[in-house]
Amino acid sequence: MSLKAPVQALAWLGRHGTRAVALSAFIGMALPPLSALFRPFVEEAIFCLLVLAFLRVAPVDVLTRLRRPRLVLLATIWIVLAVPLILGAVARAFGLPSVSPDLAVALFLVTAAPPIMSAPAFVSLLGLNGGLSLALLIVAMLVTPLTVPLIGEVVLGQALPISSVSLAVRLVLLLAGTAGLAWVIRRIAGADRIAARSREIDGLSVILLLFFAVAVMDGVAASFLARPGVTLAILALSFVMAFGQMAVTRIVFRKASPDDGFVLAHAAGNRNMGLIVAALGGTLPDLAWLYFGLGQIPIYVLPLLLRPMAGKLAQAARSE
């Protein structure tokens, strides 16, 4: 059987990636029976997404960023340390952990976590160079085992049941495994062939993002039916947190080039909450779990909303 049709379908998905990704968030809510089927394979989906991210970005682009690490290091400190500590201190000052412990846990999730593992894939779908996004992701994930317990103490007022050593080992193995597999694929296929198939790779990323969306939306549709007011309020809060972190980050790094500033803002506003949920043993208070599910919607919808701006930045970067 010819592979032409599936390949063309992947390329089509890649060309329309931002629209397909935005739609997938709502498909996840519309198909709750599939959540139980897909949920056990979330880790595998994340692994494959990161492999595609390594594969999609040329190693030279990442190395270029890491050879001049100042921007990456400053952005890492800001995103995984400064932002959560500042917001955590404000939350403690207003007594959020005692007034609403569930929302305090949600705040912890959406600020302490590193950027989403699919950030380079999203950046590539928007037409920007993913080198900075992937370099920032790698550094942020490596320091996460050190920063998360500290932030948990500030935000929640008590030490979290999390093992920094096991989390560090998990992250190192994940990064080494995905980067190694991407390197093997690149060596076998060749850099030119990988570059020529960039749209197909983006299409695979879209499929995996759809799979992930369906898996993490378990219970969200039921919550909309049972308590629509609370659910809509949590959804609105998730957008405020995403846009707020993006806007402040863009202001803080206003001296960076426009395309680099956009990539850093995207990383700050889109956090890998699933990593922290896994470290907590997969158990969260009711409202915090609802926020975790609904918090995926801004992640999936933002690329579509921001695509016009990203397109102009990408065109300007190519013309320089």
Side-chain angles (χ1 to χ4, degrees):
M1 186 179 73
S2 174
L3 294 177
K4 185 177 181 180
V7 170
Q8 289 177 341
L10 286 176
W12 183 87
L13 274 178
R15 287 192 297 272
H16 299 85
T18 52
R19 294 186 182 91
V21 165
L23 182 61
S24 66
F26 299 98
I27 292 175
M29 287 189 291
L31 300 174
L34 288 179
S35 296
L37 180 63
F38 288 177
R39 190 169 178 177
F41 304 102
V42 167
E43 291 186 10
E44 287 79 359
I46 292 173
F47 182 93
C48 293
L49 273 171
L50 196 53
V51 171
L52 292 179
F54 277 111
L55 195 61
R56 183 68 170 80
V57 179
V60 65
D61 293 331
V62 179
L63 292 175
T64 297
R65 296 292 184 175
L66 294 179
R67 288 193 187 108
R68 293 178 295 176
R70 183 172 181 272
L71 182 60
V72 173
L73 293 177
L74 288 175
T76 300
I77 293 171
W78 168 255
I79 291 172
V80 302
L81 194 61
V83 169
L85 287 178
I86 292 171
L87 291 178
V90 172
R92 289 288 299 277
F94 283 92
L96 182 64
S98 57
V99 174
S100 180
D102 287 20
L103 288 181
V105 173
L107 176 66
F108 168 65
L109 290 177
V110 78
T111 58
I116 54 174
M117 291 184 182
S118 54
F122 277 119
V123 168
S124 296
L125 287 173
L126 291 169
L128 295 171
N129 189 305
L132 175 59
S133 181
L134 188 55
L136 176 61
L137 174 63
I138 292 171
V139 177
M141 287 185 67
L142 289 175
V143 302
T144 294
L146 303 176
T147 59
V148 166
L150 171 64
I151 297 163
E153 180 69 29
V154 171
V155 176
L156 302 178
Q158 59 184 5
L160 290 172
I162 181 173
S163 169
S164 296
V165 174
S166 62
L167 181 57
V169 171
R170 182 188 178 104
L171 292 175
V172 170
L173 290 177
L174 180 62
L175 285 171
T178 52
L181 181 55
W183 179 84
V184 171
I185 295 173
R186 185 176 288 274
R187 290 283 293 180
I188 294 173
D192 292 340
R193 187 178 297 175
I194 294 296
R197 295 296 184 183
S198 60
R199 289 300 186 190
E200 288 81 357
I201 295 174
D202 288 344
L204 286 173
S205 296
V206 170
I207 292 173
L208 287 168
L209 289 167
L210 170 60
F211 184 99
F212 181 79
V214 173
V216 301
M217 287 296 172
D218 185 30
V220 172
S223 180
F224 267 114
L225 294 175
R227 44 182 183 175
V230 171
T231 306
L232 288 173
I234 296 295
L235 178 60
L237 178 61
S238 69
F239 273 95
V240 169
M241 290 299 300
F243 276 114
Q245 290 187 88
M246 291 181 69
V248 174
T249 299
R250 186 65 190 95
I251 293 171
V252 170
F253 291 93
R254 58 188 177 278
K255 293 185 178 180
S257 65
D259 53 330
D260 283 354
F262 182 93
V263 170
L264 297 180
H266 178 270
N270 297 271
R271 303 299 187 108
N272 185 9
M273 294 182 282
L275 185 68
I276 309 300
V277 172
L280 294 173
T283 58
L284 290 175
D286 184 40
L287 279 181
W289 183 266
L290 181 62
Y291 186 98
F292 171 54
L294 291 172
Q296 307 305 314
I297 295 180
I299 293 173
Y300 279 58
V301 172
L302 282 176
L304 179 62
L305 299 178
L306 300 174
R307 185 179 183 182
M309 181 190 304
K312 293 179 181 179
L313 293 175
Q315 185 176 5
R318 286 192 293 268
S319 64
E320 292 179 355

